[in-house]
Amino acid sequence: MADQAFVTLATNDGYARGAMVLGKSLRDHNTSKKLVVLIGPQMSETCQSVLKRIFDEVKVVDVLDSGDAAHLGMMKRPDLGVTFTKLHCWTLTQFSKCVFMDADTLVLSNVDELFDREELSAAPDPGWPDCFNSGVFVFRPSLETHGKLLQYCTEHGSFDGGDQGVLNGFFSDWATADISKHLPFIYNLSSVAIYTYLPAFKQFGGNAKVVHFLGKTKPWSYTYDTKSKRIAGEVPEAATHPTFLLDWWALYSSAVVPMLQEQYGDQPFQSGCVEEASCSSPAEPETQMSSEQRKQKWEQGQADYMGTDSFDNIKKKLDTFLK
């Protein structure tokens, strides 16, 4: 339907690359919906040009320059700047219904059925399942709702400092009121959750429709060896299943990088893609860590997900234990 759209937000050039991959993944899986991206005014012309090739609408939003309620709210709550920007999605009243998706999500199959859901439909957050994760949600644009959300922001702030705290506070009955507004986890498979319940991932992970790259390090922060088709060098915080990270890079390197190269022309730019023979060669043998050292690494969130603590190795140990 022409009056329904997937919406994302990219505040800078890094997140723009995420949005490009998200948009391409939606196109590749034949969505029938419009694609809209909200962008920050500081985004480069190059990234804007590529986004315009992928999305139906690229809309610049900047609450600091507006003279409306968002601007007034911003003055009272400067800490919620990015949140105010995200709430602009409710102003897209040319659409009757939208699905918001964070720029660090990747679509693995067609998800147009999400438009059968009502506002506010979302999947539970893996950290606190009575809250929904705001990386993917169904909403109905409305200037009235937008105004109420801004008022809520100003009066109550956010319990987590971001949009998820605001939205959970505003749509506070999500956990209890209507189970049909609880999206299955496969529509927002938060990558950090994979290792917390491996048997469930083994059982249901193959059905995942949307993967969400939560965590400090985003897919575009890594370097990808196009020759060996592997993440190059060390992975300091592999808060994702390696397969999904490689899926992101395969799409980015094959579909997005050529568009960026066209825009940059002869100018050099950092695509993140490299060809390093060393990445294809066998890794240096690791120094053996004691159980206590490994435990400390895990507790600090520094598990070696690409090596000793890889999903396959953990799965083997689990299978042995379950037998």
Side-chain angles (χ1 to χ4, degrees), residues 212-246:
H212 188 181
F213 297 97
L214 280 176
K216 188 174 62 178
T217 309
K218 299 303 179 188
W220 54 89
S221 306
Y222 297 99
T223 304
Y224 179 69
D225 182 355
T226 52
K227 196 171 181 181
S228 65
K229 300 196 183 304
R230 287 167 48 184
I231 303 301
E234 276 191 62
V235 182
E237 183 196 285
T240 178
H241 191 261
T243 306
F244 295 137
L245 190 57
L246 291 173

Side-chain angles (χ1 to χ4, degrees), residues 7 11 17 22 29 58 63 74 83 89 140 158 175 178 192 200 228 234 258 315:
V7 181
T11 50
R17 295 184 184 198
L22 170 61
H29 293 294
V58 178
V63 293
M74 190 72 174
T83 296
C89 64
R140 285 191 177 274
S158 167
D178 185 353
V192 292
S228 65
E234 276 191 62
K315 182 172 165 292

Side-chain angles (χ1 to χ4, degrees), residues 54-194:
I54 299 170
F55 288 80
D56 297 295
E57 188 176 335
V58 178
K59 183 178 179 184
V60 181
V61 288
D62 181 11
V63 293
L64 284 171
D65 286 346
S66 68
D68 58 12
H71 178 75
L72 296 173
M74 190 72 174
M75 295 305 99
K76 295 175 189 170
R77 301 295 311 218
D79 53 312
L80 295 176
V82 175
T83 296
F84 279 116
T85 309
K86 190 168 183 176
L87 297 183
H88 264 289
C89 64
W90 266 272
T91 67
L92 299 171
T93 51
Q94 67 270 41
F95 302 108
S96 64
K97 191 187 286 184
C98 296
V99 173
F100 184 90
M101 303 186 76
D102 275 346
D104 59 351
T105 57
L106 175 71
V107 169
L108 305 175
S109 63
N110 186 287
V111 290
D112 285 2
E113 67 272 17
L114 286 172
F115 289 85
D116 297 335
R117 304 283 182 145
E118 279 306 321
E119 180 176 89
L120 186 290
S121 292
D125 188 84
W128 194 264
D130 280 347
C131 291
F132 58 83
N133 183 278
S134 61
V136 178
F137 61 85
V138 184
F139 70 100
R140 285 191 177 274
S142 155
L143 293 179
E144 183 186 357
T145 306
H146 180 243
K148 287 179 179 175
L149 276 162
L150 295 176
Q151 187 179 351
Y152 183 90
C153 263
T154 306
E155 292 176 2
H156 303 283
S158 167
F159 69 76
D160 69 355
D163 62 272
Q164 185 161 304
V166 169
L167 292 173
N168 272 278
F170 187 80
F171 296 99
S172 58
D173 64 350
W174 174 84
T176 54
D178 185 353
I179 194 66
S180 71
K181 293 182 180 179
H182 288 220
L183 296 181
F185 197 58
I186 58 169
Y187 288 103
N188 189 353
L189 179 62
S190 304
S191 50
V192 292
I194 292 169

Side-chain angles (χ1 to χ4, degrees), residues 237-272:
E237 183 196 285
T240 178
H241 191 261
T243 306
F244 295 137
L245 190 57
L246 291 173
D247 287 343
W248 189 96
W249 271 97
L251 183 53
Y252 172 70
S253 60
S254 64
V256 172
V257 170
M259 285 194 279
L260 285 167
Q261 282 171 334
E262 276 182 48
Q263 290 299 320
Y264 278 101
D266 295 331
Q267 290 178 294
F269 79 102
Q270 187 57 48
S271 68

